[in-house]
Amino acid sequence: MQSTGTHDPTTTPTHCPYCALQCGMNLTPVEGGTVEVSERADFPVNRGALCGKGRTAAAVLAPGARLTSPLVRSGDGALVPAGWDEALDRIAGNLERTRARYGADALGVFGGGGLTNEKAYALGKFARVVLGTSQIDYNGRFCMSSAAAAGTRAFGLDRGLPFPLEDVPRTGCVILVGSNPAETMPPSLRYFTELRENGGTLIVVDPRRTKTAEQADLHLAPRPGTDLALALGMLHLVVAEGRVDEAYVEERTSGWEEARAAAMAHWPEHVERITGVSVPELREAVRLFCAPEAAMVLTARGPEQQAKGTDTVGAWINLCLATGRAGRPLSGYGCLTGQGNGQGGREHGQKADQLPGYRKLTDPAARRHVAGVWGVDPDSLPGPGRSAYELLDALGTDVRSLLVMGSNPVVSAPRAAHVEERLRSLDFLAVCDVVLSETAQLADVVLPVTQWAEETGTTTSLEGRVLLRRRALTPPDGVRGDLEVLHGLAGRLGVEKGFPTDPEEVFEELRRASAGGPADYSGIDYRRLAQENGVFWPCPAPPAPDGTGATDSATDSGVGTGTGTGTGTAPHPGTPRLFLDRFATDDGRARFVPVAHRPSAEEPDDEYPVLLTTGRVVSQYQSGAQTRRVAELNAAAPGPFVELHPRLAARLGAAEGDPLAVVSRRGRAVAPARITTGIRPDTVFMPFHWPGEGRANTLTNPALDPTSRMPEFKVCAVRVETVTPQRRHPLLP
């Protein structure tokens, strides 16, 4: 796939702009000032393999697919081209007027999990230092916030995978809960294939028989919203069958008795009635998981995007802890992060309650440290703000002006029609994006910004591996980087210093801001990233010769690698494997948390008798704002559909391809039927990549997890209706 632009006449090693695998790829200039994507075999995660999205990633660089000029809303309501000074002046002026009239918290900032670490860091700093607002969050809240909350609660630290992917084929059993990597991150599927080739077993938990489930040794198909009961039923059997690792529980954990008592209330027959998973299947899953010396549980959006997602993930963690499968080689709990920089995006300041380095905004010491790096008074930093959906829900009332960077909530947010209405009610909306997304179409000012191949910056993969993306092309005239945008706005709003446009300079400040924090990047620099193919955090800087320097957080937080401490003057090696010596809690022990199953926020009834679950397809990504502009991907996945079981289709009188209306309490979506025995008869599935009448998130429920504030994307009550095609008058063309 080719794109236009000027270039350096050498091949540039870099990384894919899409999912959290951050696959390595090469960009090579070709005749005509274009670039070609090719395999990069030296990067250990994908080992040269690329999915269709990665292979075609350069297509979005073409001028016809992307924005190349700022746009401003004219007097007649149209978006028209404008110069950069006019666009930035208009944004700064409106933000200043809103703040003067309503206060700083009337300004909102909504970021994205695809922004580099440098952009995420600068955006969080811009919100808190320049705007003085607490109202900042990002779409990564919709990704793995429940897993992050549960991991922090149990282990004292959240990192998507506490071990590298290379460990997966070497373990004995993997339980993959609510994940379909065959479609969401295809190059990773080889790890699960190799697991089975090595004699290990794969258990897939999913209400659909996905392409991943087809490769499993055991597929459990629970009713959507019942993953919590399933995990508790398995833990009950672990106890009843005498499979608890008593020595491990005694030596390395706390809180077991309370968690055990909670699990014992979920006996197998009761769990079977809740989940639809039979008792023999439950027993077989426990046997397969407990038989080998080492095993893992990996979760994704299925169990996490629920109003009880934190407790659901916590139940799977409890299963790992009770069987001694955490903080040991080739064992543990991990989360398969979705977005390209979903991990780093929350580590460094986009999330409403966090400061760089994964520090808590409510921690006075954290505030002092970060404020010192920023050169501001700690008391000037605002407190925690609203979570993502709550921020979107407050638009037009409490929050009057909004800056969006790298997100498309019109398509991706739950209860999307309501969110679209809230966006339209704003006094002022500015959007920075590569393309004219559905959200950008509503904006008063749209700024065209650079893409992955046109800028240098770092991301943090699902493994916790910090990576360097390299610039391979000069962006088209009229396009600027997000760091340039923030620099220009900060200056216009009275902050002349502190927002450099050079990404390496921003990263050097990020290193200092993160030093001593849970996500310590202080021992990482661009040189190391280029030479080492990435570095796993925490990676603290070694003490200076005089004994001063950054805190060795890998030692202090108890998450050492077992391969070195980072003391002395040698560089810290990074931390590919967490928790081998101790967990990152005050006493070094992992914490069991007692949890109990509870119904979903919205259960089926006579009016809405069917369950809807949502997800992705292999040829589209997230809201589809970029992938829907690639002809090859659109040919493979041209539009939305409603997947349903033949029994439900027969009751409706629906045939393959017939238009179906899926109706929830929040709205109605229409898409053609796709009939398959690979889904439960009580469930329908819709992918969420498209706007318009097939927008799946029109239907989804914004009920929030009380801890993570994750909306319940993965389960809501709907009814399904056939749609009679509108007949045209015979005399009309």
Side-chain angles (χ1 to χ4, degrees):
M1 183 56 61
Q2 298 179 346
S3 68
T4 62
T6 60
H7 56 80
D8 183 89
T10 58
T11 294
T12 302
T14 189
H15 295 273
C16 180
Y18 291 116
C19 82
L21 281 181
Q22 289 296 280
C23 291
M25 59 170 56
N26 286 319
L27 300 182
T28 305
V30 293
E31 186 178 352
T34 61
V35 65
E36 183 176 77
V37 173
S38 61
E39 297 178 351
R40 178 183 163 196
D42 71 311
F43 186 61
V45 174
N46 62 309
R47 292 175 263 170
L50 293 171
C51 73
K53 294 186 293 293
R55 285 189 297 100
T56 61
V60 189
L61 296 166
R66 51 96 59 83
L67 294 167
T68 56
S69 170
L71 303 173
V72 299
R73 189 73 61 183
S74 67
D76 62 2
L79 282 171
V80 298
W84 270 94
D85 284 340
E86 178 186 354
L88 291 173
D89 287 346
R90 188 175 294 200
I91 295 173
N94 277 279
L95 295 177
E96 188 57 66
R97 283 189 290 273
T98 297
R99 182 167 59 181
R101 183 172 181 181
Y102 299 106
D105 274 354
L107 303 176
V109 176
F110 198 83
L115 301 180
T116 63
N117 289 317
E118 292 81 359
K119 295 179 187 179
Y121 172 84
L123 187 62
K125 180 181 178 182
F126 176 82
R128 295 178 174 107
V129 173
V130 178
L131 301 182
T133 183
S134 66
Q135 301 304 303
I136 175 172
D137 212 80
Y138 82 129
N139 62 17
R141 176 78 68 168
F142 300 155
C143 178
M144 56 175 290
S145 57
S146 292
T152 301
R153 194 164 68 176
F155 306 130
L157 181 71
D158 155 54
R159 194 180 82 186
L161 293 181
F163 40 75
L165 276 168
E166 68 184 38
D167 286 359
V168 170
R170 300 161 57 208
T171 192
C173 178
V174 171
I175 302 179
L176 193 58
V177 188
S179 178
N180 181 19
E183 296 204 63
T184 59
M185 45 182 64
S188 73
L189 193 63
R190 68 172 57 186
Y191 291 99
F192 302 101
T193 302
E194 291 170 7
L195 165 73
R196 299 186 69 211
E197 291 172 348
N198 292 340
T201 55
L202 175 63
I203 301 170
V204 171
V205 179
D206 199 304
R208 304 167 61 222
R209 188 162 182 80
T210 63
K211 292 180 180 179
T212 304
E214 289 173 353
Q215 302 193 30
D217 297 280
L218 178 64
H219 173 214
L220 306 179
R223 182 175 177 267
T226 64
D227 310 87
L228 175 52
L230 181 68
L232 288 165
M234 290 182 64
L235 183 53
H236 178 112
L237 286 172
V238 165
V239 176
E241 296 175 359
R243 299 180 185 272
V244 176
D245 188 333
E246 302 285 358
Y248 173 92
V249 169
E250 175 67 25
E251 179 183 349
R252 299 204 60 188
T253 73
S254 61
W256 166 234
E257 289 305 318
E258 294 84 356
R260 185 185 70 83
M264 297 314 288
H266 298 76
W267 60 95
E269 293 76 12
H270 178 52
V271 169
E272 181 182 72
R273 288 194 295 273
I274 294 171
T275 65
V277 176
S278 70
V279 173
E281 289 176 311
L282 283 172
R283 293 189 184 278
E284 178 66 0
V286 169
R287 185 189 70 79
L288 292 173
F289 184 65
C290 293
E293 182 178 348
M296 300 173 179
V297 172
L298 305 178
T299 68
R301 308 300 82 73
E304 298 163 16
Q305 288 181 326
Q306 299 182 32
K308 53 181 180 294
T310 301
D311 284 354
T312 300
V313 173
W316 290 105
I317 291 174
N318 286 350
L319 179 67
C320 290
L321 294 177
T323 54
R325 309 305 176 90
R328 284 178 167 174
L330 307 181
S331 288
Y333 163 76
C335 166
L336 298 177
T337 308
Q339 294 194 79
N341 198 30
Q343 181 73 46
R346 70 181 181 281
E347 290 169 6
H348 299 300
Q350 283 190 99
K351 197 161 170 277
D353 57 350
Q354 288 179 184
L355 289 168
Y358 236 149
R359 288 179 159 92
K360 293 181 179 179
L361 194 53
T362 54
D363 178 2
R367 293 170 68 89
R368 286 194 300 272
H369 175 84
V370 174
V373 174
W374 289 350
V376 300
D377 184 343
D379 292 338
S380 71
L381 298 179
R386 294 174 171 88
S387 70
Y389 179 76
E390 291 167 304
L391 173 57
L392 295 172
D393 189 41
L395 300 180
T397 53
D398 294 332
V399 177
R400 309 299 294 255
S401 292
L402 182 70
L403 172 64
V404 176
M405 189 170 281
S407 187
N408 188 19
V410 166
V411 179
S412 63
R415 197 185 173 195
H418 172 72
V419 169
E420 181 177 347
E421 177 186 325
R422 293 291 85 217
L423 285 160
R424 291 181 184 276
S425 73
L426 283 164
D427 294 349
F428 181 77
L429 172 63
V431 174
C432 304
D433 210 329
V434 172
V435 298
L436 191 64
S437 69
E438 287 72 24
T439 302
Q441 291 172 29
L442 304 181
D444 298 287
V445 178
V446 182
L447 299 180
V449 291
T450 51
Q451 300 187 56
W452 56 289
E454 301 163 346
E455 60 188 14
T456 295
T458 63
T459 62
T460 305
S461 75
L462 79 172
E463 302 177 296
R465 188 196 299 252
V466 185
L467 301 165
L468 182 63
R469 283 189 192 163
R470 299 168 175 88
R471 175 171 167 158
L473 290 172
T474 300
D477 291 340
V479 174
R480 295 185 184 179
D482 294 281
L483 295 178
E484 293 178 272
V485 170
L486 295 175
H487 173 84
L489 291 176
R492 285 166 169 80
L493 291 167
V495 180
E496 300 292 340
K497 296 181 179 180
F499 290 89
T501 60
D502 175 49
E504 187 168 9
E505 187 176 348
V506 176
F507 190 79
E508 289 300 305
E509 183 177 303
L510 182 157
R511 293 176 62 197
R512 292 188 288 118
S514 73
D520 191 335
Y521 284 28
S522 61
I524 304 173
D525 58 30
Y526 275 26
R527 178 193 56 80
R528 284 193 66 180
L529 294 178
Q531 292 178 348
E532 300 177 30
N533 250 336
V535 178
F536 292 86
W537 71 260
C539 182
D546 62 1
T548 63
T551 301
D552 185 351
S553 63
T555 300
D556 292 351
S557 65
V559 293
T561 65
T563 62
T565 62
T567 58
T569 58
H572 189 282
T575 314
R577 295 171 182 87
L578 298 171
F579 313 138
L580 295 182
D581 303 318
R582 64 195 305 273
F583 294 97
T585 55
D586 291 341
D587 60 5
R589 293 171 173 266
R591 305 185 189 99
F592 282 97
V593 178
V595 294
H597 175 72
R598 57 186 185 272
S600 298
E602 190 174 79
E603 291 287 336
D605 56 22
D606 291 342
E607 187 176 2
Y608 301 98
V610 177
L611 291 169
L612 168 71
T613 192
T614 64
R616 287 172 50 190
V617 297
V618 66
S619 294
Q620 300 289 353
Y621 181 73
Q622 302 301 80
S623 75
Q626 295 187 39
T627 52
R628 283 187 275 112
R629 288 166 168 79
V630 180
E632 180 180 330
L633 300 179
N634 278 336
F641 56 86
V642 180
E643 186 178 279
L644 72 164
H645 192 274
R647 277 160 46 188
L648 178 56
R651 289 204 302 270
L652 294 168
E656 181 78 11
D658 284 354
L660 294 178
V662 183
V663 184
S664 78
R665 289 177 173 85
R666 289 153 295 281
R668 180 177 187 266
V670 178
R674 183 174 293 183
I675 301 172
T676 173
T677 57
I679 193 168
R680 293 173 55 96
D682 59 2
T683 300
V684 295
F685 166 84
M686 290 187 71
F688 53 66
H689 309 290
W690 288 274
E693 70 171 4
R695 181 174 58 185
N697 278 319
T698 297
L699 309 169
T700 49
N701 190 353
L704 300 180
D705 181 289
T707 302
S708 69
R709 315 309 288 170
M710 167 73 83
E712 192 153 74
F713 286 100
K714 278 295 181 278
V715 54
C716 70
V718 299
R719 66 174 180 267
V720 185
E721 304 169 341
T722 56
V723 177
T724 303
Q726 293 184 347
R727 296 184 179 275
R728 301 183 68 82
H729 191 282
L731 298 180
L732 293 176

